[in-house]
Amino acid sequence: MNEATESAQSAFRTADEAVNWITGRMKFGIRPGMKRMELFMEKLGHPHRRLKFIHVAGTNGKGSTCAFLTKTLTACGYDVGTFTSPFIERYQNRIQYNGKDIDDDSLVRLVNELKPIFDEIAETEWGAPTMFEVSTVLALLYFAKVTYPDFVVWETGLGGRLDSTNVVTPIVSVITNVGHDHMEILGDSLPAVAEEKAGIIKPGVPVVSAVEQPETIEVIRKVAAGRKSTLYLMNDQFRYEPVRSELDQQSFHFTGPFRSLDQIDITLNGAHQLKNAALALMTLEVLRQYYAVVMDEEPFREGMRSAGWPGRLEMVGRAPRVLVDGAHNPEGAETLAEALRTIYRYDKLHLMIAMMPTKQHEGVLRHLLPLADSLIVTEPDFFKKAEAGSLAELARSTLGELDKTIDVTVEPDWKAALAQLTERTGEDDLAVVTGTLYLISDVRSWMLYRKDSDKGW
């Protein structure tokens, strides 16, 4: 059998086959480093060099910031590619062109194109590319060879410096914030994590950031100065002023170095979304000033207003009310707790949570348990997860320290846990499903579409 025949026989024929191969690589883990991506780009003719990237890193808020950027640029008449992670419903969600998932025919064709190169790299000293690296290459091929967008909104997967997305040189870099997440990989302190996030800052490329802690600001300033990149920092070069905050409707005034804008409306919930929107707005201002990107005021405002992001303070049930929010680290849980105190009204709050084994569980629980009237601890449908019984023990211990008593139920089967949650939630109560995005994906897909979500991002 010659090589051409063998290659044809081993080719993927359906999107499901191709996606299953990609997501199947998840079990081989995360291996930060750029060498495999550099080899991929060299063998594929450097497709990334044909594209204009807006590179977005940070602990929380990346997805929402990407949504504001994508929606506003699209509303202003530009073609926009978007690469985000994790996906919420299906693998194809993570690679979009003008808000639509990559089509199955392109996915199959491009995976078949990259698979022989994957096999070549797997035989080198650097080993087989990871799931996220393959996904990154697939996105680059789709944008560079199929859709040709004007801009690509490009979200990091983990960190920045050694993240596979960092193979590109963007036209603007964005760092949303720095918090306690993935510290087993990124470093054991906030400055160490900030150093990794700052790895996306490229020489001479402007950077926009909303980092807040003095020690992380110092890191970002130092890296930007060393690379001669102009830094636009929130509460320094630009700021926002909240005007009103109601359910599904918020607005703010924006003041930046180039102009001020009054009464920008958004529909995403939570005070943190005002910050994400202002960050995105400053990024768009950089595009206007540095690259003469034209954005008429009416579509600009409509784009900001209509941006949405699934799985973040999203109401997926009305009778009873079920709110999902992927608060999987202490900063995310603090944001969720603030929203539950200020935005939502309820008699009792019933909480359901699952976590990944590497997350900072106690920090999350300390923010959320003071608000809860009951707790169900469960597990996502995924091969890695925090064991429900152990997480429940930690919750009981934390409740003891908080001098609070509530019912704690352990139900590893998330569908059974969800049934219990909805049964105990009265007409004037609120159910909240939170923790790992793997659980959010499960619950959201089931409640909205009565189907199981894809896995492996």
Side-chain angles (χ1 to χ4, degrees), residues 390-404:
S390 298
L391 186 56
E393 283 304 309
L394 178 60
R396 293 187 183 103
S397 172
T398 305
L399 284 165
E401 294 174 15
L402 295 171
D403 196 24
K404 181 179 174 73

Side-chain angles (χ1 to χ4, degrees), residues 324-344:
V324 297
D325 187 81
H328 56 272
N329 54 45
E331 288 79 8
E334 183 178 17
T335 297
L336 171 57
E338 177 64 19
L340 293 173
R341 289 189 188 97
T342 60
I343 299 175
Y344 301 94

Side-chain angles (χ1 to χ4, degrees), residues 2 62 125 133 137 153 176 189 318 347 362 400 423 426 457:
N2 61 39
K62 296 190 298 295
E125 62 182 296
E133 288 167 343
V137 173
V153 177
T176 59
S189 68
R318 296 287 175 180
D347 284 347
E362 186 175 357
E423 285 169 8
W457 60 83

